[in-house]
Amino acid sequence: MVRSKLSLAMRNALFEPRVQLLTQLYQPVFIWTMGKVGSTSIAKALQSVRGISVFTSHFMNDDEHPRSRVLYKHLIEPKKPLKIISLVRDPISKNVSSFFQNYEKNTGRSYAQDDLSLDELSDLFFNRYQHHQSPLSWFDNYVKRYTGIDVYAQQFPTDTKAYTLNHENFDLLVMRCDLDDTRKAQQVERFLGFVPNSFSITSQNVGAQKDYSKTYKAFKQHIQLPDSYLEEMATSQYFRHFYTAKEIDRSIIQWRTYRNPKNELAA
């Protein structure tokens, strides 16, 4: 544990000079997005592209995340041209996925040594997980606050599932995470000015492929999300902006179906 903490402290100490050097040498591209939306795949793919430096964060200028303060100092504060890529996901699935991604933090136990029941996990999801509102307010708390870009000021094209916005020196590409990898790659190519068909993306960090995948699947089919919770998500500005009414209804029906598996159209 001590060695791990020392290693982290050393990596954090080296992070700022590395960021400073890379932003001077290459065009910075900032993958700045909420967690569990498929950003790892894009970041990994961009790291192999010459002539750019790739940075990632879910936060900005946050005391609990020292690296986000460094990124603010060298990417946001200087007011230099910056390309930002962000992704969105339906908030209910995002919250469940984030709960499992940070399993040890949210349950207080190591997954490998744990034997929590699905009922116990459900209770922890509602009573210990602190970030149910996070996807609903993420763009206002971070992107709008630090770049001036209001993602809600322009209609989102739910057919292409992607759009670009800009304000002063900031250019922002927003994509839905359910856009297939080929179309994501095409959007990134256009946004960054790459040669067409020169860039590809391969899925990474997929929950269904992780050690907790069986429990994750069982949990989704077991948890009983209250109507008040589903209603809050369904009527949020965030969900209504990036998804059609039919898509939102389909998501709500799906979660209610999990709750009532014998009735596929349970209301």
Side-chain angles (χ1 to χ4, degrees), residues 218-250:
F219 177 80
K220 290 195 298 180
Q221 295 175 340
H222 173 84
I223 191 170
Q224 298 185 17
L225 296 172
D227 286 334
S228 58
Y229 184 90
L230 295 174
E231 182 71 10
E232 180 182 14
M233 297 296 160
T235 58
S236 66
Q237 182 183 30
Y238 168 84
F239 210 171
R240 289 185 292 108
H241 183 73
F242 292 109
Y243 293 80
T244 66
K246 287 184 178 180
E247 289 171 329
I248 294 172
D249 288 344
R250 191 180 307 129

PDB file of all heavy atoms in Angstrom, residues 218-250:
ATOM      1  N   ALA A 218     -26.758  -9.701 -13.675  1.00  0.00           N
ATOM      2  CA  ALA A 218     -27.789 -10.129 -12.718  1.00  0.00           C
ATOM      3  C   ALA A 218     -28.351  -8.943 -11.950  1.00  0.00           C
ATOM      4  O   ALA A 218     -29.561  -8.870 -11.676  1.00  0.00           O
ATOM      5  CB  ALA A 218     -27.212 -11.167 -11.760  1.00  0.00           C
ATOM      6  N   PHE A 219     -27.475  -8.007 -11.609  1.00  0.00           N
ATOM      7  CA  PHE A 219     -27.904  -6.818 -10.862  1.00  0.00           C
ATOM      8  C   PHE A 219     -28.901  -5.996 -11.680  1.00  0.00           C
ATOM      9  O   PHE A 219     -29.926  -5.543 -11.154  1.00  0.00           O
ATOM     10  CB  PHE A 219     -26.669  -5.977 -10.524  1.00  0.00           C
ATOM     11  CG  PHE A 219     -26.969  -4.692  -9.808  1.00  0.00           C
ATOM     12  CD1 PHE A 219     -27.212  -4.681  -8.442  1.00  0.00           C
ATOM     13  CD2 PHE A 219     -27.007  -3.487 -10.495  1.00  0.00           C
ATOM     14  CE1 PHE A 219     -27.487  -3.488  -7.777  1.00  0.00           C
ATOM     15  CE2 PHE A 219     -27.283  -2.293  -9.841  1.00  0.00           C
ATOM     16  CZ  PHE A 219     -27.520  -2.302  -8.479  1.00  0.00           C
ATOM     17  N   LYS A 220     -28.626  -5.798 -12.965  1.00  0.00           N
ATOM     18  CA  LYS A 220     -29.519  -5.025 -13.819  1.00  0.00           C
ATOM     19  C   LYS A 220     -30.899  -5.666 -13.906  1.00  0.00           C
ATOM     20  O   LYS A 220     -31.915  -4.973 -13.999  1.00  0.00           O
ATOM     21  CB  LYS A 220     -28.926  -4.877 -15.220  1.00  0.00           C
ATOM     22  CG  LYS A 220     -27.716  -3.968 -15.287  1.00  0.00           C
ATOM     23  CD  LYS A 220     -27.383  -3.554 -16.708  1.00  0.00           C
ATOM     24  CE  LYS A 220     -27.039  -4.741 -17.573  1.00  0.00           C
ATOM     25  NZ  LYS A 220     -26.705  -4.331 -18.960  1.00  0.00           N
ATOM     26  N   GLN A 221     -30.937  -6.980 -13.862  1.00  0.00           N
ATOM     27  CA  GLN A 221     -32.213  -7.685 -13.961  1.00  0.00           C
ATOM     28  C   GLN A 221     -32.917  -7.799 -12.610  1.00  0.00           C
ATOM     29  O   GLN A 221     -34.096  -8.138 -12.548  1.00  0.00           O
ATOM     30  CB  GLN A 221     -31.981  -9.069 -14.558  1.00  0.00           C
ATOM     31  CG  GLN A 221     -31.479  -9.015 -15.993  1.00  0.00           C
ATOM     32  CD  GLN A 221     -31.133 -10.378 -16.551  1.00  0.00           C
ATOM     33  OE1 GLN A 221     -30.908 -11.325 -15.800  1.00  0.00           O
ATOM     34  NE2 GLN A 221     -31.098 -10.481 -17.871  1.00  0.00           N
ATOM     35  N   HIS A 222     -32.193  -7.490 -11.548  1.00  0.00           N
ATOM     36  CA  HIS A 222     -32.745  -7.637 -10.207  1.00  0.00           C
ATOM     37  C   HIS A 222     -33.215  -6.320  -9.602  1.00  0.00           C
ATOM     38  O   HIS A 222     -34.261  -6.277  -8.938  1.00  0.00           O
ATOM     39  CB  HIS A 222     -31.683  -8.251  -9.278  1.00  0.00           C
ATOM     40  CG  HIS A 222     -32.089  -8.287  -7.835  1.00  0.00           C
ATOM     41  ND1 HIS A 222     -32.866  -9.283  -7.299  1.00  0.00           N
ATOM     42  CD2 HIS A 222     -31.817  -7.417  -6.811  1.00  0.00           C
ATOM     43  CE1 HIS A 222     -33.065  -9.035  -6.008  1.00  0.00           C
ATOM     44  NE2 HIS A 222     -32.437  -7.916  -5.683  1.00  0.00           N
ATOM     45  N   ILE A 223     -32.463  -5.261  -9.835  1.00  0.00           N
ATOM     46  CA  ILE A 223     -32.730  -4.007  -9.138  1.00  0.00           C
ATOM     47  C   ILE A 223     -34.108  -3.456  -9.504  1.00  0.00           C
ATOM     48  O   ILE A 223     -34.536  -3.524 -10.661  1.00  0.00           O
ATOM     49  CB  ILE A 223     -31.628  -2.965  -9.434  1.00  0.00           C
ATOM     50  CG1 ILE A 223     -31.769  -1.776  -8.490  1.00  0.00           C
ATOM     51  CG2 ILE A 223     -31.657  -2.536 -10.903  1.00  0.00           C
ATOM     52  CD1 ILE A 223     -30.599  -0.830  -8.534  1.00  0.00           C
ATOM     53  N   GLN A 224     -34.795  -2.926  -8.517  1.00  0.00           N
ATOM     54  CA  GLN A 224     -36.119  -2.345  -8.716  1.00  0.00           C
ATOM     55  C   GLN A 224     -36.021  -0.830  -8.581  1.00  0.00           C
ATOM     56  O   GLN A 224     -36.069  -0.285  -7.478  1.00  0.00           O
ATOM     57  CB  GLN A 224     -37.110  -2.930  -7.707  1.00  0.00           C
ATOM     58  CG  GLN A 224     -37.282  -4.433  -7.857  1.00  0.00           C
ATOM     59  CD  GLN A 224     -38.361  -4.991  -6.944  1.00  0.00           C
ATOM     60  OE1 GLN A 224     -39.192  -4.251  -6.433  1.00  0.00           O
ATOM     61  NE2 GLN A 224     -38.346  -6.288  -6.759  1.00  0.00           N
ATOM     62  N   LEU A 225     -35.865  -0.179  -9.711  1.00  0.00           N
ATOM     63  CA  LEU A 225     -35.739   1.275  -9.708  1.00  0.00           C
ATOM     64  C   LEU A 225     -37.102   1.906  -9.464  1.00  0.00           C
ATOM     65  O   LEU A 225     -38.061   1.624 -10.188  1.00  0.00           O
ATOM     66  CB  LEU A 225     -35.172   1.757 -11.047  1.00  0.00           C
ATOM     67  CG  LEU A 225     -33.748   1.292 -11.371  1.00  0.00           C
ATOM     68  CD1 LEU A 225     -33.389   1.666 -12.803  1.00  0.00           C
ATOM     69  CD2 LEU A 225     -32.749   1.895 -10.399  1.00  0.00           C
ATOM     70  N   PRO A 226     -37.240   2.750  -8.446  1.00  0.00           N
ATOM     71  CA  PRO A 226     -38.536   3.377  -8.143  1.00  0.00           C
ATOM     72  C   PRO A 226     -39.021   4.235  -9.305  1.00  0.00           C
ATOM     73  O   PRO A 226     -38.226   4.788 -10.065  1.00  0.00           O
ATOM     74  CB  PRO A 226     -38.238   4.246  -6.916  1.00  0.00           C
ATOM     75  CG  PRO A 226     -36.961   3.713  -6.356  1.00  0.00           C
ATOM     76  CD  PRO A 226     -36.194   3.168  -7.512  1.00  0.00           C
ATOM     77  N   ASP A 227     -40.332   4.366  -9.414  1.00  0.00           N
ATOM     78  CA  ASP A 227     -40.892   5.212 -10.464  1.00  0.00           C
ATOM     79  C   ASP A 227     -40.401   6.648 -10.336  1.00  0.00           C
ATOM     80  O   ASP A 227     -40.196   7.330 -11.341  1.00  0.00           O
ATOM     81  CB  ASP A 227     -42.418   5.187 -10.403  1.00  0.00           C
ATOM     82  CG  ASP A 227     -42.993   3.883 -10.930  1.00  0.00           C
ATOM     83  OD1 ASP A 227     -42.325   3.246 -11.761  1.00  0.00           O
ATOM     84  OD2 ASP A 227     -44.097   3.508 -10.500  1.00  0.00           O
ATOM     85  N   SER A 228     -40.192   7.106  -9.111  1.00  0.00           N
ATOM     86  CA  SER A 228     -39.713   8.481  -8.908  1.00  0.00           C
ATOM     87  C   SER A 228     -38.319   8.668  -9.505  1.00  0.00           C
ATOM     88  O   SER A 228     -38.007   9.725 -10.074  1.00  0.00           O
ATOM     89  CB  SER A 228     -39.698   8.826  -7.419  1.00  0.00           C
ATOM     90  OG  SER A 228     -38.871   7.924  -6.695  1.00  0.00           O
ATOM     91  N   TYR A 229     -37.488   7.640  -9.378  1.00  0.00           N
ATOM     92  CA  TYR A 229     -36.127   7.691  -9.936  1.00  0.00           C
ATOM     93  C   TYR A 229     -36.196   7.699 -11.467  1.00  0.00           C
ATOM     94  O   TYR A 229     -35.540   8.504 -12.135  1.00  0.00           O
ATOM     95  CB  TYR A 229     -35.331   6.489  -9.443  1.00  0.00           C
ATOM     96  CG  TYR A 229     -33.876   6.464  -9.858  1.00  0.00           C
ATOM     97  CD1 TYR A 229     -32.896   7.055  -9.073  1.00  0.00           C
ATOM     98  CD2 TYR A 229     -33.477   5.845 -11.043  1.00  0.00           C
ATOM     99  CE1 TYR A 229     -31.558   7.029  -9.451  1.00  0.00           C
ATOM    100  CE2 TYR A 229     -32.151   5.812 -11.431  1.00  0.00           C
ATOM    101  CZ  TYR A 229     -31.189   6.408 -10.629  1.00  0.00           C
ATOM    102  OH  TYR A 229     -29.870   6.382 -11.019  1.00  0.00           O
ATOM    103  N   LEU A 230     -36.982   6.788 -12.026  1.00  0.00           N
ATOM    104  CA  LEU A 230     -37.117   6.705 -13.479  1.00  0.00           C
ATOM    105  C   LEU A 230     -37.695   8.001 -14.039  1.00  0.00           C
ATOM    106  O   LEU A 230     -37.252   8.485 -15.086  1.00  0.00           O
ATOM    107  CB  LEU A 230     -38.007   5.524 -13.855  1.00  0.00           C
ATOM    108  CG  LEU A 230     -37.475   4.133 -13.502  1.00  0.00           C
ATOM    109  CD1 LEU A 230     -38.523   3.072 -13.793  1.00  0.00           C
ATOM    110  CD2 LEU A 230     -36.189   3.830 -14.266  1.00  0.00           C
ATOM    111  N   GLU A 231     -38.671   8.578 -13.339  1.00  0.00           N
ATOM    112  CA  GLU A 231     -39.293   9.819 -13.790  1.00  0.00           C
ATOM    113  C   GLU A 231     -38.296  10.975 -13.759  1.00  0.00           C
ATOM    114  O   GLU A 231     -38.254  11.805 -14.678  1.00  0.00           O
ATOM    115  CB  GLU A 231     -40.503  10.140 -12.903  1.00  0.00           C
ATOM    116  CG  GLU A 231     -41.251  11.394 -13.305  1.00  0.00           C
ATOM    117  CD  GLU A 231     -42.038  11.247 -14.594  1.00  0.00           C
ATOM    118  OE1 GLU A 231     -42.162  10.097 -15.101  1.00  0.00           O
ATOM    119  OE2 GLU A 231     -42.510  12.274 -15.109  1.00  0.00           O
ATOM    120  N   GLU A 232     -37.496  11.038 -12.721  1.00  0.00           N
ATOM    121  CA  GLU A 232     -36.500  12.104 -12.622  1.00  0.00           C
ATOM    122  C   GLU A 232     -35.528  12.052 -13.790  1.00  0.00           C
ATOM    123  O   GLU A 232     -35.183  13.080 -14.381  1.00  0.00           O
ATOM    124  CB  GLU A 232     -35.732  11.987 -11.306  1.00  0.00           C
ATOM    125  CG  GLU A 232     -34.676  13.045 -11.121  1.00  0.00           C
ATOM    126  CD  GLU A 232     -33.889  12.893  -9.837  1.00  0.00           C
ATOM    127  OE1 GLU A 232     -33.965  11.822  -9.202  1.00  0.00           O
ATOM    128  OE2 GLU A 232     -33.185  13.847  -9.462  1.00  0.00           O
ATOM    129  N   MET A 233     -35.068  10.858 -14.123  1.00  0.00           N
ATOM    130  CA  MET A 233     -34.148  10.712 -15.245  1.00  0.00           C
ATOM    131  C   MET A 233     -34.838  11.005 -16.575  1.00  0.00           C
ATOM    132  O   MET A 233     -34.310  11.714 -17.437  1.00  0.00           O
ATOM    133  CB  MET A 233     -33.566   9.294 -15.265  1.00  0.00           C
ATOM    134  CG  MET A 233     -32.737   8.954 -14.047  1.00  0.00           C
ATOM    135  SD  MET A 233     -31.249   9.984 -13.928  1.00  0.00           S
ATOM    136  CE  MET A 233     -30.843   9.810 -12.191  1.00  0.00           C
ATOM    137  N   ALA A 234     -36.048  10.490 -16.745  1.00  0.00           N
ATOM    138  CA  ALA A 234     -36.764  10.623 -18.014  1.00  0.00           C
ATOM    139  C   ALA A 234     -37.120  12.064 -18.334  1.00  0.00           C
ATOM    140  O   ALA A 234     -37.175  12.450 -19.513  1.00  0.00           O
ATOM    141  CB  ALA A 234     -38.026   9.772 -17.984  1.00  0.00           C
ATOM    142  N   THR A 235     -37.364  12.869 -17.319  1.00  0.00           N
ATOM    143  CA  THR A 235     -37.775  14.261 -17.560  1.00  0.00           C
ATOM    144  C   THR A 235     -36.610  15.247 -17.475  1.00  0.00           C
ATOM    145  O   THR A 235     -36.809  16.452 -17.631  1.00  0.00           O
ATOM    146  CB  THR A 235     -38.845  14.678 -16.534  1.00  0.00           C
ATOM    147  OG1 THR A 235     -38.330  14.534 -15.199  1.00  0.00           O
ATOM    148  CG2 THR A 235     -40.104  13.833 -16.689  1.00  0.00           C
ATOM    149  N   SER A 236     -35.415  14.759 -17.249  1.00  0.00           N
ATOM    150  CA  SER A 236     -34.257  15.648 -17.131  1.00  0.00           C
ATOM    151  C   SER A 236     -33.932  16.308 -18.469  1.00  0.00           C
ATOM    152  O   SER A 236     -34.164  15.743 -19.550  1.00  0.00           O
ATOM    153  CB  SER A 236     -33.033  14.872 -16.633  1.00  0.00           C
ATOM    154  OG  SER A 236     -32.617  13.925 -17.602  1.00  0.00           O
ATOM    155  N   GLN A 237     -33.405  17.505 -18.403  1.00  0.00           N
ATOM    156  CA  GLN A 237     -32.998  18.222 -19.617  1.00  0.00           C
ATOM    157  C   GLN A 237     -31.957  17.409 -20.390  1.00  0.00           C
ATOM    158  O   GLN A 237     -32.001  17.346 -21.617  1.00  0.00           O
ATOM    159  CB  GLN A 237     -32.434  19.593 -19.249  1.00  0.00           C
ATOM    160  CG  GLN A 237     -32.019  20.437 -20.445  1.00  0.00           C
ATOM    161  CD  GLN A 237     -31.403  21.769 -20.053  1.00  0.00           C
ATOM    162  OE1 GLN A 237     -30.788  21.883 -18.988  1.00  0.00           O
ATOM    163  NE2 GLN A 237     -31.564  22.789 -20.877  1.00  0.00           N
ATOM    164  N   TYR A 238     -31.055  16.807 -19.657  1.00  0.00           N
ATOM    165  CA  TYR A 238     -29.991  16.024 -20.283  1.00  0.00           C
ATOM    166  C   TYR A 238     -30.550  14.885 -21.130  1.00  0.00           C
ATOM    167  O   TYR A 238     -30.218  14.743 -22.323  1.00  0.00           O
ATOM    168  CB  TYR A 238     -29.068  15.471 -19.193  1.00  0.00           C
ATOM    169  CG  TYR A 238     -28.091  14.423 -19.665  1.00  0.00           C
ATOM    170  CD1 TYR A 238     -26.879  14.782 -20.250  1.00  0.00           C
ATOM    171  CD2 TYR A 238     -28.373  13.061 -19.544  1.00  0.00           C
ATOM    172  CE1 TYR A 238     -25.982  13.826 -20.687  1.00  0.00           C
ATOM    173  CE2 TYR A 238     -27.490  12.100 -19.980  1.00  0.00           C
ATOM    174  CZ  TYR A 238     -26.291  12.481 -20.553  1.00  0.00           C
ATOM    175  OH  TYR A 238     -25.413  11.515 -20.998  1.00  0.00           O
ATOM    176  N   PHE A 239     -31.406  14.043 -20.545  1.00  0.00           N
ATOM    177  CA  PHE A 239     -31.936  12.885 -21.259  1.00  0.00           C
ATOM    178  C   PHE A 239     -32.779  13.339 -22.447  1.00  0.00           C
ATOM    179  O   PHE A 239     -32.680  12.800 -23.555  1.00  0.00           O
ATOM    180  CB  PHE A 239     -32.775  12.034 -20.295  1.00  0.00           C
ATOM    181  CG  PHE A 239     -32.783  10.557 -20.604  1.00  0.00           C
ATOM    182  CD1 PHE A 239     -33.358   9.665 -19.703  1.00  0.00           C
ATOM    183  CD2 PHE A 239     -32.236  10.049 -21.775  1.00  0.00           C
ATOM    184  CE1 PHE A 239     -33.372   8.301 -19.959  1.00  0.00           C
ATOM    185  CE2 PHE A 239     -32.248   8.680 -22.044  1.00  0.00           C
ATOM    186  CZ  PHE A 239     -32.826   7.804 -21.140  1.00  0.00           C
ATOM    187  N   ARG A 240     -33.619  14.366 -22.242  1.00  0.00           N
ATOM    188  CA  ARG A 240     -34.512  14.829 -23.303  1.00  0.00           C
ATOM    189  C   ARG A 240     -33.763  15.525 -24.441  1.00  0.00           C
ATOM    190  O   ARG A 240     -34.242  15.582 -25.567  1.00  0.00           O
ATOM    191  CB  ARG A 240     -35.570  15.772 -22.717  1.00  0.00           C
ATOM    192  CG  ARG A 240     -36.602  15.052 -21.854  1.00  0.00           C
ATOM    193  CD  ARG A 240     -37.723  15.962 -21.372  1.00  0.00           C
ATOM    194  NE  ARG A 240     -37.250  16.949 -20.408  1.00  0.00           N
ATOM    195  CZ  ARG A 240     -37.115  18.241 -20.659  1.00  0.00           C
ATOM    196  NH1 ARG A 240     -37.402  18.724 -21.855  1.00  0.00           N
ATOM    197  NH2 ARG A 240     -36.689  19.068 -19.716  1.00  0.00           N
ATOM    198  N   HIS A 241     -32.576  16.058 -24.141  1.00  0.00           N
ATOM    199  CA  HIS A 241     -31.812  16.749 -25.180  1.00  0.00           C
ATOM    200  C   HIS A 241     -31.118  15.769 -26.128  1.00  0.00           C
ATOM    201  O   HIS A 241     -31.134  15.977 -27.350  1.00  0.00           O
ATOM    202  CB  HIS A 241     -30.765  17.661 -24.528  1.00  0.00           C
ATOM    203  CG  HIS A 241     -29.974  18.475 -25.513  1.00  0.00           C
ATOM    204  ND1 HIS A 241     -30.507  19.556 -26.179  1.00  0.00           N
ATOM    205  CD2 HIS A 241     -28.689  18.363 -25.950  1.00  0.00           C
ATOM    206  CE1 HIS A 241     -29.588  20.076 -26.976  1.00  0.00           C
ATOM    207  NE2 HIS A 241     -28.475  19.373 -26.866  1.00  0.00           N
ATOM    208  N   PHE A 242     -30.521  14.732 -25.573  1.00  0.00           N
ATOM    209  CA  PHE A 242     -29.703  13.837 -26.387  1.00  0.00           C
ATOM    210  C   PHE A 242     -30.447  12.600 -26.899  1.00  0.00           C
ATOM    211  O   PHE A 242     -29.900  11.855 -27.710  1.00  0.00           O
ATOM    212  CB  PHE A 242     -28.471  13.401 -25.585  1.00  0.00           C
ATOM    213  CG  PHE A 242     -27.496  14.525 -25.332  1.00  0.00           C
ATOM    214  CD1 PHE A 242     -27.347  15.063 -24.062  1.00  0.00           C
ATOM    215  CD2 PHE A 242     -26.745  15.065 -26.370  1.00  0.00           C
ATOM    216  CE1 PHE A 242     -26.449  16.105 -23.821  1.00  0.00           C
ATOM    217  CE2 PHE A 242     -25.853  16.102 -26.148  1.00  0.00           C
ATOM    218  CZ  PHE A 242     -25.701  16.626 -24.876  1.00  0.00           C
ATOM    219  N   TYR A 243     -31.669  12.393 -26.432  1.00  0.00           N
ATOM    220  CA  TYR A 243     -32.430  11.209 -26.832  1.00  0.00           C
ATOM    221  C   TYR A 243     -33.849  11.604 -27.218  1.00  0.00           C
ATOM    222  O   TYR A 243     -34.406  12.565 -26.681  1.00  0.00           O
ATOM    223  CB  TYR A 243     -32.465  10.181 -25.689  1.00  0.00           C
ATOM    224  CG  TYR A 243     -31.105   9.575 -25.403  1.00  0.00           C
ATOM    225  CD1 TYR A 243     -30.171  10.269 -24.635  1.00  0.00           C
ATOM    226  CD2 TYR A 243     -30.747   8.334 -25.913  1.00  0.00           C
ATOM    227  CE1 TYR A 243     -28.910   9.740 -24.384  1.00  0.00           C
ATOM    228  CE2 TYR A 243     -29.494   7.796 -25.656  1.00  0.00           C
ATOM    229  CZ  TYR A 243     -28.577   8.507 -24.903  1.00  0.00           C
ATOM    230  OH  TYR A 243     -27.335   7.973 -24.658  1.00  0.00           O
ATOM    231  N   THR A 244     -34.433  10.851 -28.142  1.00  0.00           N
ATOM    232  CA  THR A 244     -35.810  11.122 -28.551  1.00  0.00           C
ATOM    233  C   THR A 244     -36.772  10.612 -27.480  1.00  0.00           C
ATOM    234  O   THR A 244     -36.412   9.794 -26.623  1.00  0.00           O
ATOM    235  CB  THR A 244     -36.131  10.426 -29.872  1.00  0.00           C
ATOM    236  OG1 THR A 244     -36.107   8.999 -29.675  1.00  0.00           O
ATOM    237  CG2 THR A 244     -35.120  10.806 -30.954  1.00  0.00           C
ATOM    238  N   ALA A 245     -38.005  11.087 -27.552  1.00  0.00           N
ATOM    239  CA  ALA A 245     -39.033  10.633 -26.604  1.00  0.00           C
ATOM    240  C   ALA A 245     -39.227   9.127 -26.694  1.00  0.00           C
ATOM    241  O   ALA A 245     -39.396   8.447 -25.669  1.00  0.00           O
ATOM    242  CB  ALA A 245     -40.345  11.360 -26.884  1.00  0.00           C
ATOM    243  N   LYS A 246     -39.183   8.573 -27.900  1.00  0.00           N
ATOM    244  CA  LYS A 246     -39.348   7.129 -28.065  1.00  0.00           C
ATOM    245  C   LYS A 246     -38.190   6.367 -27.417  1.00  0.00           C
ATOM    246  O   LYS A 246     -38.402   5.320 -26.800  1.00  0.00           O
ATOM    247  CB  LYS A 246     -39.443   6.770 -29.555  1.00  0.00           C
ATOM    248  CG  LYS A 246     -40.766   7.159 -30.210  1.00  0.00           C
ATOM    249  CD  LYS A 246     -40.821   6.685 -31.645  1.00  0.00           C
ATOM    250  CE  LYS A 246     -42.168   7.038 -32.280  1.00  0.00           C
ATOM    251  NZ  LYS A 246     -42.222   6.579 -33.700  1.00  0.00           N
ATOM    252  N   GLU A 247     -36.985   6.880 -27.568  1.00  0.00           N
ATOM    253  CA  GLU A 247     -35.822   6.223 -26.973  1.00  0.00           C
ATOM    254  C   GLU A 247     -35.895   6.262 -25.447  1.00  0.00           C
ATOM    255  O   GLU A 247     -35.546   5.281 -24.779  1.00  0.00           O
ATOM    256  CB  GLU A 247     -34.530   6.892 -27.468  1.00  0.00           C
ATOM    257  CG  GLU A 247     -34.218   6.599 -28.919  1.00  0.00           C
ATOM    258  CD  GLU A 247     -33.068   7.439 -29.446  1.00  0.00           C
ATOM    259  OE1 GLU A 247     -32.881   8.591 -28.970  1.00  0.00           O
ATOM    260  OE2 GLU A 247     -32.355   6.967 -30.350  1.00  0.00           O
ATOM    261  N   ILE A 248     -36.348   7.383 -24.912  1.00  0.00           N
ATOM    262  CA  ILE A 248     -36.478   7.490 -23.460  1.00  0.00           C
ATOM    263  C   ILE A 248     -37.549   6.530 -22.958  1.00  0.00           C
ATOM    264  O   ILE A 248     -37.344   5.816 -21.969  1.00  0.00           O
ATOM    265  CB  ILE A 248     -36.805   8.944 -23.059  1.00  0.00           C
ATOM    266  CG1 ILE A 248     -35.617   9.857 -23.391  1.00  0.00           C
ATOM    267  CG2 ILE A 248     -37.138   9.024 -21.570  1.00  0.00           C
ATOM    268  CD1 ILE A 248     -35.906  11.337 -23.223  1.00  0.00           C
ATOM    269  N   ASP A 249     -38.678   6.491 -23.644  1.00  0.00           N
ATOM    270  CA  ASP A 249     -39.749   5.562 -23.256  1.00  0.00           C
ATOM    271  C   ASP A 249     -39.258   4.122 -23.293  1.00  0.00           C
ATOM    272  O   ASP A 249     -39.571   3.320 -22.403  1.00  0.00           O
ATOM    273  CB  ASP A 249     -40.953   5.719 -24.183  1.00  0.00           C
ATOM    274  CG  ASP A 249     -41.718   7.011 -23.935  1.00  0.00           C
ATOM    275  OD1 ASP A 249     -41.505   7.631 -22.873  1.00  0.00           O
ATOM    276  OD2 ASP A 249     -42.518   7.391 -24.810  1.00  0.00           O
ATOM    277  N   ARG A 250     -38.491   3.797 -24.319  1.00  0.00           N
ATOM    278  CA  ARG A 250     -37.969   2.436 -24.460  1.00  0.00           C
ATOM    279  C   ARG A 250     -37.037   2.095 -23.295  1.00  0.00           C
ATOM    280  O   ARG A 250     -37.070   0.978 -22.764  1.00  0.00           O
ATOM    281  CB  ARG A 250     -37.223   2.298 -25.787  1.00  0.00           C
ATOM    282  CG  ARG A 250     -36.861   0.860 -26.168  1.00  0.00           C
ATOM    283  CD  ARG A 250     -36.118   0.820 -27.494  1.00  0.00           C
ATOM    284  NE  ARG A 250     -36.857   1.523 -28.514  1.00  0.00           N
ATOM    285  CZ  ARG A 250     -36.347   2.467 -29.299  1.00  0.00           C
ATOM    286  NH1 ARG A 250     -35.091   2.850 -29.153  1.00  0.00           N
ATOM    287  NH2 ARG A 250     -37.081   3.047 -30.219  1.00  0.00           N
TER     288      ARG A 250
END
